[in-house]
Amino acid sequence: MTFSRPGPLLTARDLRKAYGPTNALDGAEFSIQPGEVVAVMGPSGSGKSTLLHCLAGIVPPDSGSITYDARDLAKMSDARRSTLRRSEFGFVFQFGQLVPELTCVENVALPLRLNGSSRKDAERTALGWMERLEVDGLKGKRPGEVSGGQGQRVAVARALVTGPRLLFADEPTGALDSFNGDRVMELLTEAARSTNAAVVLVTHETRVAAYADREVVVRDGKSRDMERAV
Ligand SMILES: Nc1ncnc2c1ncn2[C@@H]1O[C@H](COP(=O)(O)OP(=O)(O)OP(=O)(O)O)[C@@H](O)[C@H]1O
Ligand SMILES: [Mg+2]
């Protein structure tokens, strides 16, 4: 068992981000506890993806603070932030994230290969995650040869293969029907809970948000915790 500091894993205060005249974020607040699954909801254009990109250190906010595990994201070098993203964060997007030339198992193994694992070790670990996501039968297929739901489960396996503490998912079921969407959500949340990974889940669907422990609503770049974390 690992010992972690008490308190939130990630906290954001008063985030602001403008694109020209558009205030994509206008004083957004956010916090997530280790192992917690938080749904970020809100209408199209309200700032959900911008919030996720800022929290993940992909896009710098104009102002405000983001603290991950007691470290200020803005004070880290770009190199430290990318190491953090590679080793402690996982990402799942709506589509288009698997490398088409690689087989499914090579895709899942890729983050481990980039971190220096041997092909054999990386693919063995990758296959374990593919079994958990029930896509191990697709190991030799390329992304173009699998269904949308299967592809998303491969993407979830790839996001979890490095054992991240925080998973960022932006509309992970946005391109799926409700049956396949539910299956992806069941397996994603089950896998995250089993490893105590926290999940920031952006969605506009209440049936997807129902898998979360808590909801945060974003409106006009402002976010509100429906039930503030301790
Ligand atoms: N790179 C960008 N350049 C210019 N404007 C942007 C950029 N990214 C986002 N915006 C604008 O910022 C606002 C928030 O966008 P964002 O993508 O965060 O919304 P969203 O809540 O994720 O929407 P959706 O549900 O449609 O994905 C929108 O008005 C959008 O047009
Ligand atoms: Mg979005």
Short mmCIF file of all heavy atoms in Angstrom, two decimals, residues 19 22-24 42-51 170-171 202 204, ligand 1:
data_model
loop_
_atom_site.label_atom_id
_atom_site.label_comp_id
_atom_site.label_asym_id
_atom_site.label_seq_id
_atom_site.Cartn_x
_atom_site.Cartn_y
_atom_site.Cartn_z
N TYR A 19 -9.57 33.41 -25.16
CA TYR A 19 -9.15 33.26 -26.54
C TYR A 19 -9.71 34.48 -27.25
O TYR A 19 -10.90 34.53 -27.53
CB TYR A 19 -9.71 31.99 -27.16
CG TYR A 19 -9.10 30.72 -26.60
CD1 TYR A 19 -9.84 29.88 -25.77
CD2 TYR A 19 -7.79 30.37 -26.92
CE1 TYR A 19 -9.27 28.71 -25.27
CE2 TYR A 19 -7.23 29.21 -26.42
CZ TYR A 19 -7.97 28.39 -25.60
OH TYR A 19 -7.42 27.23 -25.10
N THR A 22 -13.15 35.85 -26.22
CA THR A 22 -13.91 34.79 -25.53
C THR A 22 -13.26 34.39 -24.21
O THR A 22 -12.10 33.98 -24.20
CB THR A 22 -13.99 33.53 -26.42
OG1 THR A 22 -14.50 33.91 -27.69
CG2 THR A 22 -14.88 32.46 -25.81
N ASN A 23 -14.01 34.54 -23.13
CA ASN A 23 -13.51 34.05 -21.85
C ASN A 23 -13.88 32.58 -21.70
O ASN A 23 -14.95 32.24 -21.20
CB ASN A 23 -14.11 34.86 -20.69
CG ASN A 23 -13.56 36.27 -20.67
OD1 ASN A 23 -12.38 36.50 -20.94
ND2 ASN A 23 -14.43 37.22 -20.38
N ALA A 24 -12.97 31.71 -22.16
CA ALA A 24 -13.26 30.26 -22.09
C ALA A 24 -13.33 29.82 -20.63
O ALA A 24 -14.17 29.00 -20.26
CB ALA A 24 -12.19 29.49 -22.85
N GLY A 42 -21.79 20.38 -18.52
CA GLY A 42 -22.11 21.74 -18.93
C GLY A 42 -22.37 21.77 -20.42
O GLY A 42 -21.96 20.87 -21.15
N PRO A 43 -23.04 22.83 -20.89
CA PRO A 43 -23.38 22.92 -22.31
C PRO A 43 -22.16 23.08 -23.21
O PRO A 43 -21.07 23.39 -22.74
CB PRO A 43 -24.28 24.16 -22.39
CG PRO A 43 -24.15 24.88 -21.11
CD PRO A 43 -23.55 23.96 -20.10
N SER A 44 -22.37 22.87 -24.50
CA SER A 44 -21.30 23.02 -25.49
C SER A 44 -20.76 24.44 -25.43
O SER A 44 -21.52 25.41 -25.36
CB SER A 44 -21.87 22.71 -26.88
OG SER A 44 -20.86 22.82 -27.83
N GLY A 45 -19.44 24.56 -25.43
CA GLY A 45 -18.81 25.87 -25.42
C GLY A 45 -18.68 26.49 -24.04
O GLY A 45 -18.21 27.62 -23.90
N SER A 46 -19.07 25.76 -23.00
CA SER A 46 -19.05 26.34 -21.64
C SER A 46 -17.65 26.37 -21.04
O SER A 46 -17.42 27.05 -20.04
CB SER A 46 -20.00 25.57 -20.72
OG SER A 46 -19.65 24.21 -20.67
N GLY A 47 -16.69 25.61 -21.63
CA GLY A 47 -15.32 25.66 -21.13
C GLY A 47 -14.82 24.33 -20.55
O GLY A 47 -13.74 24.29 -19.95
N LYS A 48 -15.56 23.26 -20.75
CA LYS A 48 -15.19 21.96 -20.15
C LYS A 48 -13.82 21.47 -20.64
O LYS A 48 -12.97 21.08 -19.85
CB LYS A 48 -16.25 20.89 -20.47
CG LYS A 48 -17.65 21.25 -20.03
CD LYS A 48 -18.65 20.15 -20.35
CE LYS A 48 -18.81 19.82 -21.83
NZ LYS A 48 -19.39 20.95 -22.62
N SER A 49 -13.64 21.46 -21.97
CA SER A 49 -12.37 20.96 -22.52
C SER A 49 -11.22 21.88 -22.14
O SER A 49 -10.11 21.42 -21.84
CB SER A 49 -12.45 20.82 -24.04
OG SER A 49 -13.39 19.82 -24.38
N THR A 50 -11.48 23.20 -22.16
CA THR A 50 -10.44 24.15 -21.76
C THR A 50 -10.02 23.88 -20.32
O THR A 50 -8.82 23.86 -20.00
CB THR A 50 -10.95 25.59 -21.91
OG1 THR A 50 -11.44 25.76 -23.24
CG2 THR A 50 -9.85 26.60 -21.65
N LEU A 51 -11.00 23.63 -19.45
CA LEU A 51 -10.70 23.32 -18.06
C LEU A 51 -9.83 22.06 -17.98
O LEU A 51 -8.79 22.06 -17.30
CB LEU A 51 -12.00 23.13 -17.25
CG LEU A 51 -11.83 22.73 -15.79
CD1 LEU A 51 -11.09 23.81 -14.99
CD2 LEU A 51 -13.20 22.45 -15.14
N ASP A 170 -12.09 13.12 -21.93
CA ASP A 170 -12.94 14.16 -22.53
C ASP A 170 -13.93 13.50 -23.47
O ASP A 170 -13.54 13.04 -24.55
CB ASP A 170 -12.07 15.18 -23.27
CG ASP A 170 -12.86 16.46 -23.59
OD1 ASP A 170 -14.10 16.47 -23.44
OD2 ASP A 170 -12.22 17.45 -24.00
N GLU A 171 -15.17 13.41 -23.06
CA GLU A 171 -16.23 12.76 -23.84
C GLU A 171 -15.79 11.38 -24.34
O GLU A 171 -15.86 11.11 -25.55
CB GLU A 171 -16.62 13.64 -25.05
CG GLU A 171 -17.04 15.05 -24.71
CD GLU A 171 -18.50 15.18 -24.29
OE1 GLU A 171 -19.20 14.15 -24.15
OE2 GLU A 171 -18.94 16.32 -24.08
N VAL A 202 -15.09 14.48 -18.53
CA VAL A 202 -15.90 15.52 -19.18
C VAL A 202 -17.00 14.85 -20.00
O VAL A 202 -16.73 13.96 -20.81
CB VAL A 202 -15.02 16.40 -20.10
CG1 VAL A 202 -15.90 17.29 -20.99
CG2 VAL A 202 -14.08 17.27 -19.28
N HIS A 204 -21.40 15.58 -21.48
CA HIS A 204 -22.62 16.36 -21.37
C HIS A 204 -23.82 15.43 -21.18
O HIS A 204 -24.95 15.85 -21.18
CB HIS A 204 -22.80 17.29 -22.57
CG HIS A 204 -22.82 16.58 -23.87
ND1 HIS A 204 -21.70 16.44 -24.65
CD2 HIS A 204 -23.80 15.92 -24.50
CE1 HIS A 204 -22.00 15.73 -25.72
NE2 HIS A 204 -23.28 15.39 -25.65
N1 LIG B 1 -8.04 27.10 -29.25
C1 LIG B 1 -9.09 27.92 -29.20
N2 LIG B 1 -9.11 29.08 -29.90
C2 LIG B 1 -10.15 29.91 -29.83
N3 LIG B 1 -11.25 29.72 -29.09
C3 LIG B 1 -11.30 28.59 -28.37
C4 LIG B 1 -10.23 27.63 -28.38
N4 LIG B 1 -10.56 26.61 -27.55
C5 LIG B 1 -11.78 26.91 -27.07
N5 LIG B 1 -12.22 28.10 -27.53
C6 LIG B 1 -13.50 28.75 -27.18
O1 LIG B 1 -13.62 28.73 -25.77
C7 LIG B 1 -14.94 28.40 -25.37
C8 LIG B 1 -14.92 27.12 -24.54
O2 LIG B 1 -14.54 26.03 -25.37
P1 LIG B 1 -14.40 24.53 -24.86
O3 LIG B 1 -13.85 23.73 -25.97
O4 LIG B 1 -13.68 24.53 -23.58
O5 LIG B 1 -15.94 24.15 -24.60
P2 LIG B 1 -16.62 22.76 -24.22
O6 LIG B 1 -17.42 23.00 -23.01
O7 LIG B 1 -15.57 21.70 -24.16
O8 LIG B 1 -17.58 22.50 -25.46
P3 LIG B 1 -18.04 21.12 -26.17
O9 LIG B 1 -19.05 20.50 -25.24
O10 LIG B 1 -18.66 21.58 -27.44
O11 LIG B 1 -16.83 20.28 -26.36
C9 LIG B 1 -15.75 28.27 -26.64
O12 LIG B 1 -16.39 29.51 -26.88
C10 LIG B 1 -14.70 27.99 -27.70
O13 LIG B 1 -15.11 28.47 -28.95
#
